[in-house]
């Protein structure tokens, strides 16, 4: 028996605000010029947004407008949050991409496009959830996503503010099967909805607010998560067992939050973005990077491989590592680890060889297979890049001359189970 924990954060967490701004800028450029090269970093703090990075594009974006739209959509719309869409300052330090980097990427023959950087990227999948994601992370995402739904509806828990975090600890048996939920942690920013004058003292007011929030988490949030997000009987049964330890706003109060409470930076939630600490991570962040950066595109490709392999029954659990050298198209290595849970009479090394022959892992091939040269990234920047549901949506942007640009795009293509039949033919 052992315990395993994963965390998530809401769209209003300062690091996630930064991620969403960076990806909103990327999307706006890709909508005008699909060949845009973008590396956009954002810093948010009290009343201030600073954007820096490198761009090579035929498109043009009104950065302050994109920043304010993104912040407003998240929910920072009141001056008493000390970070507001209408009043925050926006500073830009964007410059052109280095020609030394660009020469390693662009090629006369598109399929020979080199990797935008060196590094190793990981993809992971297991079969303990219907999304092939680790259960602790899946539930942690569900908690903060549903909390945001409740906040936006404005009918219950009306004191909620945009910033929140969650953490879920699951007990597993020695065979890696979830046996119970041990602990759930929820920290949510909130209004000062009971005053010291009403309660008699600030200490009493803080205690009453905390009691109300804790009650609402257990009586409103958890039932909504079960109703809206938890679809499998096995996972529902873990909640029904009871004896879950709840920690709600453990510091006792969480009024000052978001960028006013803690500076946010693009790329500081890479474990939340991926697998919650399961498997491995190569260290590269995703948000603000166009798909020539293999930190992003190859991580999506590795997830696509791992998910399809597990769904095809090759293994109950799989980790895929891809590595690249800057300017080189073919990956340096392809590695597979099935953790001893394979269902084929092949070594992990032999499985990796077949993966390399089934999937074209050159950067341009990944971009085309997963349709990555489209404005599909702002939606990835909160509640995880993996384990999401593929869908086709229409998005609207403002073009170079102020005209409206409408794009129909497919989101989360790396989550599609479109290689299962080919994999089964190869392995069985």
């Amino acid at each position: 028996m052992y315990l395993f924990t994963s965390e998530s954060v809401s769209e209003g967490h300062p690091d996630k605000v930064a991620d969403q701004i960076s990806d909103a800028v990327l999307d706006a450029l890709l909508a005008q010029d699909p060949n845009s090269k973008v590396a956009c970093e954002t810093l948010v703090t009290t009343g201030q947004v600073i954007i820096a990075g490198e761009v090579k594009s035929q498109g043009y974006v009104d950065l302050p407008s994109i920043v304010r739209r993104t912040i407003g959509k998240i929910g920072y719309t009141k001056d008493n949050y000390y970070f507001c869409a209408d009043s925050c300052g926006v500073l830009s330090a964007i410059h052109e991409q280095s020609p030394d980097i660009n020469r390693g990427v662009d090629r006369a023959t598109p399929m020979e496009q080199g990797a935008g950087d060196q590094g190793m990227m990981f993809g992971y999948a297991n079969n303990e959830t219907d999304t092939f994601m680790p259960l602790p992370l899946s539930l942690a995402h569900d908690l903060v996503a549903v909390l945001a739904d409740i906040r936006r509806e404005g009918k219950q828990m009306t004191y909620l503010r945009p910033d929140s975090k969650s953490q879920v600890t699951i007990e597993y048996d020695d065979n890696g099967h979830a046996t119970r939920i041990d602990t759930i942690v929820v920290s949510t920013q909130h209004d000062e909805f009971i005053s010291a004058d009403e309660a008699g003292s600030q200490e009493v007011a803080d205690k009453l607010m905390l009691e109300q929030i804790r009650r609402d988490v257990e009586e409103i949030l958890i039932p909504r998560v079960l109703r809206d997000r938890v679809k499998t009987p096995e996972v529902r049964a873990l909640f029904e067992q009871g004896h879950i330890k709840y920690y709600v706003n453990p510091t006792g109060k969480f009024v000052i939050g978001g960028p006013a409470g803690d500076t946010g930076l693009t790329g500081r939630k890479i474990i939340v973005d991926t697998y919650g600490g399961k498997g491995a991570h190569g260290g590269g962040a995703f948000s603000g990077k166009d798909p020539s950066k293999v930190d992003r595109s190859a991580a999506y490709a590795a997830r696509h491989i791992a998910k399809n392999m597990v769904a095809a029954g090759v293994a109950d659990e799989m980790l895929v590592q891809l590595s690249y050298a800057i300017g080189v198209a073919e990956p340096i290595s392809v590695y597979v680890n099935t953790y001893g849970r394979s269902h084929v009479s092949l070594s992990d090394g032999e499985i990796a060889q077949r993966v390399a022959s089934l999937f074209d892992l050159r950067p341009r091939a990944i971009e085309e297979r997963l349709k990555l040269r489209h404005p599909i990234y702002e939606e990835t920047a909160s509640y995880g890049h993996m384990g999401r549901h593929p869908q086709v949506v229409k998005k609207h942007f403002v073009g170079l001359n102020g005209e409206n640009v409408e794009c129909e795009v497919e989101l989360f293509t790396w989550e599609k189970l479109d290689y299962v039949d080919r994999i089964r033919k190869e392995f069985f």
Side-chain angles (χ1 to χ4, degrees):
M1 184 269 288
Y2 63 92
L3 300 174
F4 191 87
T5 301
S6 293
E7 70 160 352
S8 184
V9 299
S10 73
E11 65 212 57
H13 185 281
D15 293 330
K16 281 287 135 199
V17 174
D19 283 343
Q20 288 166 90
I21 292 171
S22 291
D23 273 337
V25 172
L26 171 62
D27 277 358
L29 288 166
L30 288 174
Q32 299 170 63
D33 178 8
N35 294 313
S36 296
K37 302 295 191 298
V38 182
C40 178
E41 313 291 345
T42 303
L43 178 149
V44 294
T45 188
T46 306
Q48 186 70 56
V49 177
I50 300 171
I51 303 177
E54 302 81 47
V55 169
K56 181 187 177 187
S57 177
Q58 299 300 312
Y60 168 80
V61 293
D62 181 347
L63 283 173
S65 294
I66 290 174
V67 168
R68 296 185 194 286
R69 175 192 63 79
T70 306
I71 294 169
K73 189 168 70 172
I74 292 167
Y76 287 107
T77 55
K78 299 178 182 178
D79 285 332
N80 64 347
Y81 293 170
Y82 301 105
F83 183 78
C84 177
D86 293 333
S87 60
C88 67
V90 180
L91 222 117
S92 171
I94 297 281
H95 58 87
E96 190 172 0
Q97 183 188 54
S98 160
D100 292 348
I101 293 175
N102 186 64
R103 69 187 293 182
V105 176
D106 286 341
R107 292 286 189 273
T109 303
M111 274 299 174
E112 296 309 311
Q113 168 186 313
D117 202 354
Q118 70 174 45
M120 64 282 188
M121 300 82 209
F122 289 92
Y124 175 85
N126 67 26
N127 59 7
E128 68 175 329
T129 63
D130 58 355
T131 57
F132 298 89
M133 289 290 285
L135 180 59
L137 180 64
S138 182
L139 292 176
H141 283 325
D142 289 342
L143 287 164
V144 285
V146 172
L147 197 63
D149 290 342
I150 293 170
R151 172 176 59 86
R152 282 191 291 267
E153 290 165 5
K155 297 177 181 177
Q156 296 175 296
M157 302 177 75
T158 54
Y159 50 77
L160 291 173
R161 291 184 176 183
D163 192 2
S164 65
K165 300 179 77 171
S166 64
Q167 188 170 284
V168 176
T169 301
I170 302 288
E171 181 186 275
Y172 288 88
D173 64 24
D174 292 334
N175 296 314
H177 299 125
T179 56
R180 67 182 183 90
I181 300 171
D182 183 82
T183 307
I184 291 176
V185 182
V186 175
S187 295
T188 182
Q189 186 188 15
H190 59 90
D191 292 338
E192 193 118 35
F193 59 92
I194 298 176
S195 69
D197 289 342
E198 291 175 298
S201 71
Q202 190 61 57
E203 183 179 357
V204 174
D206 292 348
K207 181 181 178 183
L208 292 173
M209 285 190 289
L210 180 60
E211 288 174 353
Q212 181 67 55
I213 295 168
R214 180 188 174 94
R215 236 184 349 262
D216 289 348
V217 165
E218 294 191 35
E219 296 176 5
I220 298 173
L221 175 61
I222 298 300
R224 275 284 297 268
V225 169
L226 287 168
R227 187 193 80 187
D228 297 347
R229 297 296 182 113
V230 178
K231 305 301 181 185
T232 59
E234 295 81 5
V235 177
R236 295 183 70 87
L238 298 178
F239 281 90
E240 292 162 3
Q241 289 175 4
H243 307 295
I244 300 171
K245 296 192 288 285
Y246 285 95
Y247 293 95
V248 178
N249 283 13
T251 63
K253 190 175 183 179
F254 189 3
V255 171
I256 300 171
D262 189 14
T263 297
L265 291 170
T266 300
R268 282 209 305 200
K269 286 292 175 283
I270 58 177
I271 301 304
V272 170
D273 285 344
T274 52
Y275 308 104
K278 273 282 191 177
H281 199 294
F286 301 155
S287 289
K289 297 178 181 177
D290 76 87
S292 71
K293 281 75 172 174
V294 285
D295 275 345
R296 183 169 217 161
S297 54
Y300 292 163
R303 163 63 177 174
H304 183 234
I305 293 167
K307 181 177 181 178
N308 276 267
M309 293 285 280
V310 171
V314 174
D316 293 334
E317 181 178 17
M318 183 174 289
L319 180 74
V320 176
Q321 184 206 55
L322 308 176
S323 71
Y324 291 84
I326 188 168
V328 179
E330 293 287 349
I332 302 301
S333 66
V334 178
Y335 165 83
V336 166
N337 187 347
T338 62
Y339 303 93
R341 302 179 69 188
S342 170
H343 297 296
V344 296
S345 56
L346 298 169
S347 69
D348 286 354
E350 290 169 327
I351 294 173
Q353 289 174 358
R354 296 200 184 188
V355 164
S357 67
L358 271 172
F359 294 86
D360 189 339
L361 296 171
R362 292 175 295 173
R364 184 56 175 258
I366 292 171
E367 288 181 12
E368 292 186 359
R369 182 166 67 251
L370 300 181
K371 304 176 185 177
L372 300 181
R373 280 271 156 213
H374 300 281
I376 59 172
Y377 295 105
E378 188 176 354
E379 288 81 0
T380 69
S382 51
Y383 311 116
H385 294 242
M386 317 303 178
R388 308 289 291 276
H389 298 291
Q391 56 182 303
V392 175
V393 300
K394 288 184 178 179
K395 300 178 71 171
H396 301 270
F397 301 90
V398 177
L400 180 61
N401 299 311
E403 74 278 11
N404 288 322
V405 178
E406 183 177 276
C407 304
E408 185 171 271
V409 297
E410 190 172 0
L411 305 178
F412 304 106
T413 54
W414 49 94
E415 293 296 322
K416 293 171 71 174
L417 294 174
D418 53 353
Y419 265 69
V420 169
D421 290 341
R422 274 176 270 192
I423 290 168
R424 286 175 177 160
K425 185 176 178 181
E426 177 70 24
F427 283 90
F428 297 102

